[in-house]
């Protein structure tokens, strides 16, 4: 069941900035984002001399934060990939963030990263999810207005119905996916499906709903 | 070109592939289900049947029942018209032959018959017919056993000669309708209890005499026999599900009530001594024994170990006693053979309230919180109702508490004084007829 609280956070315009902020993931104080030159240095070192696996692992673990592009690199992989691709250094190895001496926190390292950020896919997905969750919650609330089972139903009693909604927003068919075994319970659930005003986004779709007492 | 077709296909897919999602909805309110009984109102017998059916099904608190006259032709259109009126379900009852009745349950939205049955009139009264229909349609509607053919026995105070008052034993339907007298001697008759023989219903009760309080039994022909006639008090029988084991209490002139167990001709007193306190059952009163479904455990109320009465469980095979309640004033345990729960009364702020103890989980739950003092209680065979004696301002009545709806509704009028209710098991047939003669013979005493 989607959490309404999540919807509020995502649906709130103020909280959108929060969302994008969390995805851009600014480095923590004291931790520095690696610059391109540092990455190149690392790759050159790899060409020159064999790098100990243990050192690499340590480096990776110490890597503070990676950008969205760099996030594709799995932090634990480089150690293995180094061994395999020693003759031709892999791009993924280049993206590994080595330990960087701490710089003053005031320096705008994060600004540089933000400038490079494209419209983040993750943010887009989050928006889509949030909108979907919001829609579901609205529909859920609407359904709960009409869903009124008879008194005295057992707590474990539930039924699952699929409502096929046509392009005019009317219920064209109801399929019982899982009966509760109690006729009046199933009938009441079906009545709720026919009573509710289906939102436009649900038109032409089929929605499976689990009814609980 | 390819890109164009790809885009076209994507658009087509987006437009035509149905979107599907899954949701879960929790109810916030409860509403009674509207159900319509359709019958020929011109038929006087059907009028009686539908009226009784209306009150019987409505008693559960789960339905609102309306009665509609049968249309000339019961077409699909006519049934769908009932859906438009707000009835998702319709019960159509027809009087096919003189002694036959047929009912059909319809899903009015689809105008489809869900289930239908024919039943033959087994008794002379129309009340039986209506309850029989209710009993057979109930499992289809709710998925639970019907309780409409069961009876409730209770003791009612009646005025006698010279300012005396007696107590008679009455039997009524599950909702207090169609009250019939079973024992009307000029004595005090209390604490009726039913046996568990489904083909041979018997009612045990205690009768005050000049010498003792003896235990009597009465059959459906109102023929009475002595069941136990020890000195002192003989009362409160309880049977196992198969009816082969029975326990009851008697004082036998000792002063304190003790429990006696009877199985396969063996009659014994239940004994136990608490190793920690050194006190035995003989040190207190042990009353209201109620037997578990298998007859292995006897739940009872006793004050042998504490100043206030508590509930205990006696293991018949081991001869051990386990305390169930801890503190308070707890009385009148009654065991439900179906749900394996123990209902009892406990004093809360000076008022006896109903409680339930789950023998499987070992948890206690308070059921009632109202101002009525509850006394004796008894389970319905389906385990969804409790019949209980309620008292306020020194007037006691019999009421039914619904576990499902949490409602308490009185089934005897306020003008009468009734108590000691007992709910019958499901008998294959229970019809009272006037018998002749009284055979006095001790049954349990041997």
């Amino acid at each position: 069941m989607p959490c309404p609280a999540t919807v509020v956070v995502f649906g709130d315009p103020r909280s959108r900035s929060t969302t994008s902020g969390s995805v851009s993931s600014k480095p923590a104080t004291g931790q520095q984002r690696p610059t391109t030159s540092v990455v190149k240095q690392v790759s050159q070192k790899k060409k020159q001399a064999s790098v100990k696996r243990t050192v690499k692992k340590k480096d990776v673990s110490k890597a503070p934060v990676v950008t969205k592009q760099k996030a594709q690199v799995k932090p634990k992989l480089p150690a293995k990939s180094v061994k395999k691709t020693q003759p031709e250094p892999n791009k993924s190895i280049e993206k590994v963030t080595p330990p960087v001496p701490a710089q003053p926190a005031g320096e705008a390292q994060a600004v540089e990263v933000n400038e490079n950020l494209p419209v983040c896919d993750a943010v887009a997905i989050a928006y889509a999810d949030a909108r979907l969750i919001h829609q579901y919650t609205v529909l859920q609330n609407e359904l709960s207005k009409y869903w009124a089972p008879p008194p005295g139903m057992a707590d474990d009693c539930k039924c699952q119905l699929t409502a096929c909604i046509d392009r005019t927003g009317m219920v064209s068919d109801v399929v019982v996916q899982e009966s509760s075994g109690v006729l009046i319970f199933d009938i009441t659930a079906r009545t709720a499906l026919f009573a509710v005003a289906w939102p436009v986004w649900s038109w032409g779709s089929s929605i499976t709903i689990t009814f609980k007492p | 070109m390819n890109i164009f077709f790809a885009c076209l296909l994507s658009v087509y897919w987006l437009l035509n592939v149905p979107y599907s999602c899954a949701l879960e909805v929790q109810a916030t309110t409860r509403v009674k289900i509207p159900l319509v009984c359709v019958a020929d109102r011109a038929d006087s017998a059907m009028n009686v049947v539908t009226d009784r059916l209306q009150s019987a099904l409505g008693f559960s608190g789960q339905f609102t029942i309306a009665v509609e006259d049968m249309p000339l032709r019961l077409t699909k259109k006519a049934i769908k018209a009932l859906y438009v009126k707000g009835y998702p379900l319709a019960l159509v009852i027809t009087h096919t032959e003189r002694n036959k009745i047929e009912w059909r349950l319809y899903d009015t939205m689809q105008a489809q018959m869900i289930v239908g049955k024919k039943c033959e009139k087994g008794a002379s009264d129309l009340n039986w017919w209506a309850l029989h229909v209710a009993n057979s349609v109930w499992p289809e509607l709710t998925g639970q056993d019907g309780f409409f053919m069961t009876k409730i026995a209770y003791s009612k105070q009646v005025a006698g000669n010279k300012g005396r008052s007696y107590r008679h034993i009455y039997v009524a339907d599950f909702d207090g309708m169609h009250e019939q007298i079973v024992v009307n001697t000029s004595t005090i008759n209390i604490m009726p209890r039913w046996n568990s023989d489904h083909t041979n219903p018997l009612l045990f009760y205690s009768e005050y005499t000049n010498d003792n309080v003896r235990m009597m039994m009465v059959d459906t022909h109102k023929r009475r026999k002595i069941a136990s006639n020890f000195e002192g008090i003989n009362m409160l029988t309880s049977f196992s599900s198969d009816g082969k084991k029975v326990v009851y209490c008697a004082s036998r002139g000792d002063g304190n009530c003790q429990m006696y167990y009877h199985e396969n001709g063996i009659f014994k007193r239940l004994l136990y001594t608490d190793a920690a306190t050194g006190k035995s059952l003989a040190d207190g009163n042990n009353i209201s024994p109620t037997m578990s479904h298998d007859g292995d455990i006897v739940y009872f109320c006793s004050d042998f170990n504490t100043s206030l009465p508590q509930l205990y469980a006696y293991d018949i095979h081991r001869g051990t006693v386990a305390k169930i309640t801890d503190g308070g004033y707890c009385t009148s345990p009654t065991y439900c053979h179906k749900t394996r729960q123990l209902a009892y009364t406990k004093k809360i702020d000076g008022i006896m309230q109903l409680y339930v103890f789950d023998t499987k989980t070992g948890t206690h739950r308070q059921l009632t919180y109202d101002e009525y003092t509850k006394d004796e209680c008894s389970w319905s065979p389906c385990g969804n109702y409790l019949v209980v004696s309620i008292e306020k301002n020194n007037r006691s009545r019999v009421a039914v508490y619904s576990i499902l709806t949490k409602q308490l509704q009185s089934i005897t009028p306020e003008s009468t004084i009734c108590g000691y209710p007992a709910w019958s098991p499901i008998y294959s047939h229970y019809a009272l007829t006037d018998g002749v003669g009284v055979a006095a013979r001790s049954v349990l005493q041997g």
Side-chain angles (χ1 to χ4, degrees):
Chain A
M1 193 173 136
C3 176
T6 315
V7 175
V8 173
V9 171
F10 282 107
D12 190 352
R14 287 173 299 173
S15 60
R16 281 175 193 167
S17 59
T18 314
T19 313
S20 59
S22 67
V23 173
S24 68
S25 61
K26 290 179 181 180
T29 314
Q31 289 179 325
Q32 297 302 323
R33 194 169 292 280
T35 58
T36 317
S37 59
V38 175
V39 175
K40 279 180 183 175
Q41 280 175 8
V42 173
S43 62
Q44 281 170 0
K45 280 181 183 175
K46 280 172 202 162
K47 282 179 186 177
Q48 287 168 2
S50 61
V51 182
K52 283 182 183 177
R53 190 181 289 180
T54 50
V55 174
K56 281 279 175 191
K57 277 184 180 174
K58 200 176 178 183
D59 292 349
V60 172
S61 64
K62 282 183 180 177
V65 181
V66 289
T67 60
K68 173 65 188 170
Q69 287 172 331
K70 288 173 185 175
Q72 290 169 357
V73 182
K74 290 180 181 176
K76 287 184 180 177
L77 278 177
K80 279 186 180 178
S81 59
V82 168
K83 207 172 185 180
K84 285 177 184 174
T85 57
Q86 264 185 352
E88 290 180 357
N90 199 332
K91 280 184 179 177
S92 63
I93 298 168
E94 290 180 357
K95 288 175 184 173
V96 173
T97 52
V100 179
Q103 289 179 11
E107 281 189 33
Q109 291 268 329
V111 175
E112 189 186 38
V113 174
N114 283 342
E115 279 176 357
N116 295 333
L117 263 181
V119 179
C120 188
D121 289 346
V123 176
I125 290 163
Y127 274 133
D129 284 350
R131 204 173 66 176
L132 213 59
I133 290 166
H134 179 67
Q135 286 174 342
Y136 286 1
T137 312
V138 169
L139 179 58
Q140 234 175 3
N141 293 340
E142 192 68 16
L143 275 165
S144 63
K145 284 181 196 168
Y146 296 97
W147 167 229
M153 291 290 112
D155 290 342
D156 57 349
C157 189
K158 66 172 182 179
C159 72
Q160 201 176 55
L161 307 180
T162 298
C164 302
I165 300 129
D166 65 16
R167 300 216 169 273
T168 61
M170 304 297 286
V171 176
S172 58
D173 192 21
V174 173
V175 182
V176 180
Q177 304 289 353
E178 188 188 327
S179 172
S180 65
V182 180
L183 178 69
I184 51 172
F185 192 86
D186 292 357
I187 289 278
T188 319
R190 190 190 63 186
T191 307
L193 291 182
F194 279 92
V196 75
W198 293 92
V200 178
W201 64 264
S202 67
W203 295 8
S205 66
S206 62
I207 298 177
T208 302
I209 298 149
T210 305
F211 290 92
K212 289 186 171 181
Chain B
M1 195 66 176
N2 286 340
I3 294 167
F4 173 73
F5 276 114
C7 289
L8 208 64
L9 271 171
S10 316
V11 169
Y12 178 81
W13 183 82
L14 281 171
L15 287 173
N16 288 284
V17 173
Y19 175 75
S20 64
C21 69
L23 286 175
E24 195 177 286
V25 186
Q26 199 94 28
T28 50
T29 54
R30 301 280 185 274
V31 174
K32 292 180 183 179
I33 302 292
L35 175 75
V36 62
C37 288
V38 183
D40 184 7
R41 301 289 281 174
D43 185 339
S44 59
M46 290 309 292
N47 256 340
V48 175
V49 169
T50 49
D51 286 348
R52 181 69 182 112
L53 199 57
Q54 189 178 19
S55 67
L57 292 174
F59 180 81
S60 68
Q62 292 173 292
F63 292 92
T64 48
I65 315 289
V67 179
E68 291 259 338
D69 199 6
M70 180 82 82
L72 288 173
R73 285 184 66 212
L74 193 68
T75 57
K76 278 195 170 188
K77 195 179 172 186
I79 291 170
K80 282 191 174 179
L82 294 171
Y83 180 75
V84 177
K85 283 184 181 179
Y87 304 112
L89 291 166
L91 184 66
V92 179
I93 306 161
T94 44
H95 202 169
T96 50
E97 291 170 41
R98 192 171 174 272
N99 278 329
K100 280 182 183 170
I101 199 167
E102 184 183 299
W103 63 261
R104 282 165 287 158
L105 187 66
Y106 281 92
D107 175 356
T108 54
M109 198 192 83
Q110 295 178 327
Q112 274 185 351
M113 191 180 87
I114 299 165
V115 65
K117 279 181 186 171
K118 277 183 185 175
C119 51
E120 216 161 305
K121 203 165 153 186
S124 56
D125 63 323
L126 294 167
N127 179 57
W128 183 90
W129 230 1
L131 295 182
H132 187 71
V133 171
N135 214 49
S136 55
V137 78
W138 190 253
E140 308 294 343
L141 287 169
T142 64
Q144 297 190 349
D145 295 337
F147 58 94
F148 300 95
M149 301 292 280
T150 56
K151 299 281 180 184
I152 289 172
Y154 52 90
S155 169
K156 185 198 249 184
Q157 188 172 306
V158 290
N161 294 331
K162 299 175 184 174
R164 288 176 185 166
S165 65
Y166 306 121
R167 273 186 173 266
H168 292 167
I169 302 293
Y170 282 80
V171 165
D173 289 343
F174 66 96
D175 55 356
M177 304 276 278
H178 297 93
E179 184 187 68
Q180 291 174 287
I181 194 162
V182 183
V183 179
N184 60 348
T185 56
S186 299
T187 50
I188 291 172
N189 304 286
I190 53 169
M191 299 177 187
R193 291 286 187 273
W194 298 91
N195 71 337
S196 297
D197 187 345
H198 297 269
T199 54
N200 182 30
L202 289 174
L203 199 55
F204 291 77
Y205 63 97
S206 297
E207 181 182 24
Y208 281 67
T209 67
N210 290 332
D211 303 322
N212 66 350
V213 179
R214 65 183 180 182
M215 190 189 291
M216 302 289 290
M217 56 188 239
V218 60
D219 63 9
T220 53
H221 299 287
K222 299 184 183 177
R223 288 180 299 212
R224 289 176 286 119
K225 288 178 183 175
I226 297 172
S228 177
N229 201 18
F230 290 124
E231 192 183 342
I233 297 166
N234 303 268
M235 61 180 184
L236 298 166
T237 50
S238 177
F239 291 84
S240 59
S241 291
D242 58 7
K244 290 177 181 172
K245 299 169 187 172
V246 60
V247 65
Y248 76 108
C249 40
S251 64
R252 298 184 78 170
D254 183 36
N256 283 340
C257 250
Q258 302 303 323
M259 293 183 295
Y260 292 88
Y261 177 79
H262 185 262
E263 182 191 6
N264 293 332
I266 298 166
F267 184 74
K268 65 175 183 181
R269 180 175 155 187
L270 299 181
L271 301 167
Y272 172 75
T273 303
D274 190 344
T277 60
K279 290 184 177 177
S280 71
L281 291 179
D283 295 329
N285 272 302
N286 310 288
I287 57 165
S288 304
T290 178
M291 204 169 257
S292 64
H293 59 288
D294 51 10
D296 290 344
I297 307 282
V298 174
Y299 298 96
F300 65 101
C301 171
S302 178
D303 59 355
F304 83 100
N305 219 357
T306 50
S307 56
L308 296 176
Q310 298 295 312
L311 303 188
Y312 297 89
Y314 190 102
D315 191 317
I316 293 289
H317 300 298
R318 294 177 187 171
T320 55
V321 168
K323 197 175 176 186
I324 292 174
T325 53
D326 197 15
Y329 189 97
C330 306
T331 59
S332 309
T334 174
Y335 184 82
C336 179
H337 288 189
K338 188 176 180 188
T339 61
R340 300 182 189 181
Q341 288 184 321
L342 193 74
Y344 63 96
T345 53
K346 184 176 181 179
K347 192 177 273 185
I348 303 289
D349 298 330
I351 296 172
M352 297 297 281
Q353 300 288 5
L354 276 178
Y355 270 76
V356 156
F357 170 70
D358 193 327
T359 58
K360 288 176 279 187
T361 60
T363 52
H364 295 262
R365 183 163 53 102
Q366 187 173 349
L367 297 178
T368 58
Y369 297 86
D370 55 65
E371 71 276 16
Y372 292 99
T373 283
K374 287 89 187 169
D375 196 2
E376 295 277 321
C377 57
S378 172
W379 285 101
S380 67
C382 63
N384 290 329
Y385 300 92
L386 272 166
V387 65
V388 61
S389 169
I390 58 170
E391 191 181 321
K392 194 181 175 186
N393 302 328
N394 290 326
R395 294 196 77 84
S396 69
R397 284 192 285 169
V398 175
V400 170
Y401 177 81
S402 171
I403 301 285
L404 305 173
T405 62
K406 298 175 176 55
Q407 297 295 312
L408 188 72
Q409 48 185 322
S410 178
I411 62 166
T412 57
E414 204 174 353
S415 56
T416 59
I417 295 175
C418 302
Y420 305 106
W423 207 311
S424 80
I426 298 171
Y427 290 122
S428 55
H429 186 67
Y430 186 86
L432 276 174
T433 53
D434 283 321
V436 284
V438 175
R441 182 169 66 85
S442 176
V443 174
L444 292 174
Q445 201 172 330

